Amino acid sequence: MALTREAIIEAGLNILDTYGLGDLSMRRVADVLGVQAGALYYHVPNKQSLLAALSDEIVRSVLPPSPDAEVDLWLTEWASGLRDALMSRRDGAEVVASSLAVGLGTQQPARQAEERLSAASMPHPEAIAATLLHFVLGHAVEEQTRGQMAELGIVEGGAPEEGAQRFSLGVKIIVRGAQTLAKEGC
Amino acid sequence: MALTREAIIEAGLNILDTYGLGDLSMRRVADVLGVQAGALYYHVPNKQSLLAALSDEIVRSVLPPSPDAEVDLWLTEWASGLRDALMSRRDGAEVVASSLAVGLGTQQPARQAEERLSAASMPHPEAIAATLLHFVLGHAVEEQTRGQMAELGIVEGGAPEEGAQRFSLGVKIIVRGAQTLAKEGC
DNA sequence: ACCTGAACACCGTTCAAGT
DNA sequence: ACCTGAACACCGTTCAAGT
């Protein structure tokens, strides 16, 4: 079977789910594919871009809420859809957060939200979308790492319900804030 | 001069400022101190805890706004004080963000804000403080990495004023949202 | 107690050489 | 064009041995 970029990405996602980001090395990806590490570099420029591709895959899996929904509801559903996508794979939040930080990755997670905000004639769509995105990412990273530490028994893992409530509270704060800003007329 | 935990932390901060997080290795810290890498492990359990100590140092440098200030103003000033601290050293935001993620580090960046919110009898102080913290961290990480990429000419580095405005907009959104939530009586 | 020297088990990346 | 084998220049961490 020919080595392809797609096969490399798939192997990367498998390692991510099974062993986590810490064990995701180019050599391990090559092992899974039964190939020498150097061979990967014929299909992928470097590790960072592979991680960006994995991030894109995660972000792409976010399905946008119905465009008929009112902005507030739409944003709330978008936020939880994004959260679900991040949580759907091991270390998913960290992969997306760090790929976003270095600015690689073709998928822009907040674009859908920006467009919905623009369509609703809200002021500063990019600022609102970015604020929501930063919160969702930060919260998901924290929740995901805390969960892993709880699994290892390093820290006692508070009720899972508490995390979900804190999440929806944060979203509510930001959505209400955006609302208020719009009413203030700036 | 005897090798101490303090000297190791100081050397770490120097390397961070001069060469960045990517070049901060235990071996390099040891080199700077004129010592073998293994010697560090007598004073510091591992690299992660050294990074947590650096994070603590950065967080500790945040000075709390005057307690006389009204909550809204206080939160706004706290957010920009935290941002300044994160931006004050190379990769500062990423160091704090990742140490916070893994849950090491004795300094809890959001504690001051939680206390101020409690003192003002605002509802859900932890949720509000966490939301603000996640935004400040996310924004600072993005701004800092984008700045470094601009230095390297990889990406054109939009106006620095735009970043500052987006920051204060995000803070405003969250502060207004917290206000609104409080008025709604929940 | 504190540090050296050397090792162990890894990394990401490059590149001549083969097919 | 695509992959192997082997190397380069690193890592974090451990640990016997020295002082």
Side-chain angles (χ1 to χ4, degrees):
Chain A
M1 193 184 64
L3 188 58
T4 62
R5 188 184 143 87
E6 285 69 40
I8 292 172
I9 292 174
E10 198 188 317
L13 285 172
N14 283 341
I15 294 174
L16 199 65
D17 275 335
T18 319
Y19 304 100
L21 185 56
D23 285 341
L24 179 63
S25 68
M26 295 300 271
R27 293 178 121 102
R28 212 182 226 276
V29 171
D31 274 359
V32 167
L33 295 166
V35 94
Q36 288 293 109
L40 302 180
Y41 290 83
Y42 205 89
H43 302 91
V44 150
N46 49 43
K47 185 180 179 180
Q48 220 168 42
S49 80
L50 172 56
L51 290 176
L54 302 185
S55 167
D56 280 352
E57 217 63 34
I58 296 171
V59 169
R60 222 189 306 270
S61 75
V62 180
L63 16 112
S66 155
D68 300 336
E70 261 191 282
V71 215
D72 289 11
L73 181 60
W74 194 99
L75 287 175
T76 305
E77 284 180 356
W78 174 77
S80 79
L82 176 58
R83 194 196 91 115
D84 289 347
L86 297 174
M87 303 296 278
S88 73
R89 355 192 57 115
R90 174 112 91 125
D91 295 326
E94 207 177 318
V95 168
V96 173
S98 61
S99 280
L100 203 79
V102 300
L104 292 172
T106 62
Q107 297 298 314
Q108 303 189 338
R111 182 126 75 187
Q112 295 174 351
E114 284 173 21
E115 284 166 6
R116 183 64 185 83
L117 284 160
S118 288
S121 309
M122 296 273 280
H124 309 293
E126 333 81 24
I128 296 171
T131 304
L132 205 43
L133 173 64
H134 282 144
F135 169 71
V136 175
L137 274 174
H139 183 92
V141 168
E142 187 181 317
E143 199 171 347
Q144 217 160 31
T145 14
R146 198 171 300 272
Q148 280 169 217
M149 307 240 304
E151 267 178 37
L152 298 172
I154 300 174
V155 78
E156 82 286 11
E161 131 219 344
E162 201 197 350
Q165 207 207 337
R166 283 264 288 258
F167 178 77
S168 57
L169 254 170
V171 173
K172 195 181 249 179
I173 289 169
I174 294 169
V175 172
R176 289 280 187 288
Q179 237 178 7
T180 309
L181 220 70
K183 278 180 192 155
E184 282 177 7
C186 171
Chain B
M1 195 182 68
L3 189 60
T4 63
R5 188 184 143 87
E6 285 71 36
I8 293 172
I9 292 174
E10 199 188 317
L13 286 173
N14 282 340
I15 294 174
L16 198 65
D17 276 334
T18 318
Y19 304 100
L21 184 57
D23 286 342
L24 180 64
S25 69
M26 296 300 270
R27 293 177 121 102
R28 212 181 225 277
V29 171
D31 274 359
V32 166
L33 294 167
V35 94
Q36 289 292 108
L40 301 179
Y41 291 82
Y42 205 89
H43 302 91
V44 150
N46 50 42
K47 184 180 179 181
Q48 221 170 41
S49 81
L50 171 56
L51 290 176
L54 302 186
S55 167
D56 280 352
E57 215 65 35
I58 296 171
V59 170
R60 222 190 305 271
S61 76
V62 180
L63 15 112
S66 155
D68 301 334
E70 259 190 283
V71 214
D72 289 12
L73 180 61
W74 194 100
L75 287 175
T76 305
E77 285 181 354
W78 174 77
S80 78
L82 175 58
R83 193 195 92 116
D84 290 347
L86 297 174
M87 302 298 275
S88 73
R89 355 194 56 118
R90 175 111 89 123
D91 295 324
E94 207 177 317
V95 168
V96 172
S98 62
S99 280
L100 202 81
V102 300
L104 291 172
T106 62
Q107 297 296 314
Q108 304 190 335
R111 181 124 77 186
Q112 295 173 354
E114 285 174 22
E115 284 166 7
R116 183 64 185 83
L117 284 160
S118 288
S121 308
M122 297 274 281
H124 309 294
E126 333 78 26
I128 297 171
T131 304
L132 206 42
L133 173 64
H134 282 144
F135 168 71
V136 174
L137 275 174
H139 182 93
V141 167
E142 188 181 316
E143 199 171 347
Q144 215 159 35
T145 13
R146 198 171 299 271
Q148 280 168 214
M149 306 241 305
E151 267 178 39
L152 298 173
I154 301 172
V155 79
E156 84 287 10
E161 131 219 342
E162 203 197 347
Q165 207 205 335
R166 283 263 289 258
F167 177 78
S168 57
L169 254 169
V171 172
K172 196 182 250 178
I173 289 169
I174 295 169
V175 171
R176 289 279 187 289
Q179 237 178 6
T180 309
L181 221 71
K183 276 179 195 158
E184 281 176 7
C186 169

